[in-house]
Amino acid sequence: MSQTILLLPGDGIGPEIVEETRKIMEWTVRQGLADLQFETGLIGGAAYDATGTPLPAETLTRAKTAAAVLLGAVGGPKWEPLDYSVRPERGLLGIRKELDLFCNLRPAMVYDQLADASTLKREVVSGIDIMVVRELTSDIYFGTPRGVETLPDGRKKGLNSMTYTTDEIERVARSAFEIARKRRGKVCSVDKANVLECTELWRQVVTALHQKEFSDLALSHMYVDNAAMQLIRNPRQFDVIVTGNIFGDILSDEASMLTGSIGMLPSASLGTRYALYEPIHGSAPDIAGQGVANPLATILSAAMMYRYSLNLPAVADRIEQAIVRVLDQGFRTPDIMQPGMKLVGTSAMGDAVLAALEG
Ligand code: NAD
């Protein structure tokens, strides 16, 4: 039976990069590699302009009946004067929360062809292939009590609460172990168990789950401050990193910057029933509408969809290999341009991936 993919192009460069990704996905259908049909929905500023809300109920309903969602990006200066409650970014936070997407996967891979784009030395970053698994629906961003109160003496006090329950820790840890099993079998759990009780519980739950269900894998623990250093000092030591929401927020940005090319980095956000795939970059208003955005992060996000939602890992491999071939052939959008390479725009880059798939 045909599966429905909901495309949410969003704002800025979103429509341009989603269109190129759709070309690739339609190719997999024509080849008989997947049985998919596509729907397009509204989110972000585009949804606000059309309906007065950044996350229309119809988008949410369609997301819940789709096999997976592919999102471009949301936001832009046009909507910055709006109240926070209707800003484009609320649409994104809203859909993640409504779909209960608790597990955020951010791979950080350095393509050999682009290793010089990193601000770190080639010998440090070359060959890195890290998967950061970040818990996405709990921790200090959601814990209560929270807020700012005025003390009797007039001073103000800000408060946020870091909270995790055993089930919240266990489900994301389980995802990380399952992913590690399909990779190099190594999980590093990052916490601050020396000073934060909440993360002491994190360490206990991860350790117990490892002993019970995943003792064939290698588990290590690292304090978050050390992890931040080790990511720069020797990033190749990592395979899968699993961590909570706030540590993951910071470490996944740090890991992605090892690669030096924001236009190349995909992500997946998974729940028990739903999944959403998107590039890690934003809507890039500075280059929107010019046909120069790099579509590869979004195409790689679609590859993750074939792997994690559609259970078609061989198709994911093929798309990823086609991208390596395109880079070998010297095709470059402006953000990854290097001397002597072939400068192409968004659509020509999509066509190059298509040609590499066909070739
Ligand atoms: P951004 O990621 O949009 O852009 C940062 C820089 O990277 C810009 O110079 C941009 O041109 C470049 N860039 C980004 N993606 C690129 C691509 N595919 N190809 C070539 N160059 C690319 O971040 P920003 O400028 O801080 O934010 C712009 C808007 O995007 C804001 O409204 C922000 O809120 C929103 N945003 C959305 C998401 C999301 O939808 N997930 C994430 C981050 C920011």
Side-chain angles (χ1 to χ4, degrees):
M1 206 181 74
S2 177
Q3 291 179 294
T4 302
I5 306 300
L6 179 63
L7 305 174
L8 299 177
D11 309 319
I13 60 170
E16 301 164 53
I17 54 183
V18 167
E19 186 51 35
E20 294 315 306
T21 309
R22 182 191 181 116
K23 275 188 199 166
I24 306 301
M25 298 184 81
E26 281 175 343
W27 177 86
T28 68
V29 176
R30 281 201 304 281
Q31 295 295 307
L33 300 172
D35 189 1
L36 307 175
Q37 55 184 26
F38 301 94
E39 283 183 6
T40 303
L42 288 169
I43 196 164
Y48 176 80
D49 288 348
T51 69
T53 159
L55 181 59
E58 192 194 337
T59 297
L60 208 48
T61 309
R62 287 160 80 184
K64 287 183 176 174
T65 52
V69 180
L70 180 78
L71 185 131
V74 298
K78 179 179 173 193
W79 301 283
E80 267 163 25
L82 291 177
D83 185 75
Y84 271 101
S85 61
V86 288
R87 285 260 190 100
E89 293 77 6
R90 297 297 299 193
L92 190 54
L93 293 177
I95 197 168
R96 286 178 183 157
K97 188 159 179 50
E98 290 290 332
L99 301 184
D100 195 19
L101 305 174
F102 65 85
C103 177
N104 182 227
L105 308 186
R106 289 211 358 199
M109 264 187 76
V110 171
Y111 292 89
D112 214 39
Q113 302 89 334
L114 303 179
D116 293 323
S118 175
T119 50
L120 298 189
K121 292 186 189 118
R122 174 179 268 274
E123 60 265 31
V124 175
V125 296
S126 121
I128 70 164
D129 180 2
I130 304 170
M131 179 69 84
V132 180
V133 179
R134 166 190 170 192
E135 201 287 329
L136 204 57
T137 50
S138 187
D139 204 344
I140 196 161
Y141 298 146
F142 295 92
T144 51
R146 63 186 298 159
V148 177
E149 62 180 275
T150 305
L151 299 173
D153 65 3
R155 286 177 302 147
K156 286 196 169 177
K157 180 177 154 191
L159 171 73
N160 289 92
S161 304
M162 178 178 262
T163 66
Y164 266 115
T165 56
T166 46
D167 55 311
E168 287 171 338
I169 301 167
E170 203 173 282
R171 66 181 185 172
V172 72
R174 179 172 285 106
S175 301
F177 284 126
E178 283 167 356
I179 287 161
R181 238 185 213 150
K182 295 182 188 158
R183 292 171 50 97
R184 302 191 299 281
K186 274 170 61 177
V187 175
C188 177
S189 171
V190 172
D191 59 41
K192 190 73 181 166
N194 47 344
V195 285
L196 296 172
E197 288 84 351
C198 177
T199 74
E200 196 180 334
L201 177 68
W202 175 282
R203 190 178 284 216
Q204 286 164 7
V205 172
V206 173
T207 305
L209 182 69
H210 174 249
Q211 280 165 3
K212 204 164 102 206
E213 295 178 33
F214 298 98
S215 57
D216 54 312
L217 304 177
L219 170 66
S220 61
H221 300 277
M222 203 178 269
Y223 296 137
V224 63
D225 42 350
N226 187 25
M229 285 196 292
Q230 295 298 330
L231 267 173
I232 301 293
R233 197 182 71 84
N234 177 18
R236 268 196 302 271
Q237 70 185 284
F238 295 108
D239 177 13
V240 173
I241 293 175
V242 62
T243 190
N245 204 344
I246 187 165
F247 298 158
D249 190 357
I250 298 161
L251 292 181
S252 63
D253 265 17
E254 186 189 1
S256 65
M257 282 303 107
L258 295 172
T259 73
S261 33
I262 196 171
M264 297 294 301
L265 293 164
S267 79
S269 300
L270 313 176
T272 17
R273 297 174 59 190
Y274 310 112
L276 181 140
Y277 298 81
E278 57 180 323
I280 72 155
H281 59 72
S283 58
D286 52 333
I287 56 166
Q290 298 173 22
V292 295
N294 185 346
L296 295 180
T298 319
I299 297 174
L300 286 164
S301 303
M304 291 184 83
M305 180 191 292
Y306 285 95
R307 179 167 291 118
Y308 295 110
S309 282
L310 305 177
N311 205 17
L312 295 169
V315 181
D317 288 346
R318 264 180 93 166
I319 296 172
E320 287 163 359
Q321 284 156 13
I323 287 174
V324 170
R325 197 166 329 147
V326 162
L327 294 175
D328 275 339
Q329 290 164 344
F331 291 102
R332 300 283 188 275
T333 42
D335 58 309
I336 52 172
M337 185 58 189
Q338 294 158 308
M341 299 291 152
K342 291 174 223 163
L343 186 64
V344 292
T346 312
S347 165
M349 183 58 107
D351 290 343
V353 176
L354 213 49
L357 281 166
E358 275 165 356

